[in-house]
Amino acid sequence: GKVEFCLGTEEMHLPTPPDLSQEHFRVSSSVEKSKLPSSQLGLVISSYYKTIDVLQASNQRSLKVQALHELGSLLIFAEKKRAAFKCWCQALDDIFRKSDALHTWKEFGPSFTNTSDNCSPSGFKDYSEEFLSKVGIWGCLQGAVISAKIAQFIKTLNVKKRINCCILSALLFQGLLRTTLPHPKAERCYAQYEIIQLLPGIELFSDRYRADICSVVASLYYIIRELHFAKQNLIVLPLLALYQYFVSGICQDIVRSIEARLLKVEVLIDLGFFSEAFYEMSQVLHGKNMPSTVPAGCKAPGKIKVILPI
């Protein structure tokens, strides 16, 4: 039979989401949503600015950071890079509670000098513990993604500034590994380290507006690639362990899991860790520590016995 919609019927927007089990789908808008017209993009952007002002007045700093982050992404979509950069810088300032945090983050407290490969910049220090104590878990996660986006979308021409943004993002990501004692501190210890549980009792991605798994994974992968190309290989090792945990343990993405292990092999070879690189390659070849290819709730097929005729 035919499927027809009632023309001229307008959809009424309720304060709560509709119950789809009671939906009759008589209106075309109930089954199809068109993208936001470019003519209304300015209205959405102005609404974000007004919302940020309200959050600022009510001292809702965490929500303000989220709004600034989203607004920056929206402005990038609208091809307004300068305005996006301003929003993201303001978000970092609110996270660190410090003006011009993008350029002054190295001024945070005393830090211990970290052992690094000979390609690391002189005087390179690990600020991850200071970052964690200063901005907390959510601040580290949001700041890491925002810094990565600044490096990817804003600092496209200046290599030095882009790498500095990547290092800031990497140290913020490493702050997630400073929350519990089992995770090692030395970066070279991550050559064969597998993260089983990142933050016991905390669901990082329970609220996608605060931490979207797709955005986090994409930003983390970008940082890993950029730092690897810049020969900052030692700082990449903890990030690879974190990325492997996200794509394998949470996303259950076998393709990205294999890509991560192959990239780790490249990094280990560049560092001269040949035995560790061989171990990683053997993990890939034997399919160990990989996400299950069988969907959750399904029974894995058993081995089929073939009886040959006598």
Side-chain angles (χ1 to χ4, degrees), residues 188-194 237 264 268 275-280:
R188 63 178 62 251
C189 294
Y190 286 88
Q192 288 186 344
Y193 183 74
E194 299 280 345
L237 291 180
K264 187 176 181 180
L268 291 171
S275 59
E276 290 84 353
F278 177 80
Y279 171 79
E280 285 296 326

Side-chain angles (χ1 to χ4, degrees), residues 137 141 144-145 172-174 176-177 194-199 202-205 211-221 224 238-254 256-257 260 291:
I137 295 172
L141 190 58
V145 174
L172 285 166
F173 272 123
Q174 284 192 37
L176 301 176
L177 300 171
E194 299 280 345
I195 299 175
I196 305 301
Q197 191 175 22
L198 181 61
L199 300 169
I202 298 178
E203 291 290 340
L204 273 182
F205 305 106
D212 178 50
I213 181 65
C214 297
S215 181
V216 171
V217 167
S219 298
L220 182 55
Y221 185 73
I224 291 171
L239 304 183
L240 280 168
L242 193 61
Y243 182 80
Q244 188 70 39
Y245 171 76
F246 287 152
V247 298
S248 299
I250 298 179
C251 299
Q252 294 288 307
D253 191 329
I254 190 169
R256 284 185 170 83
S257 180

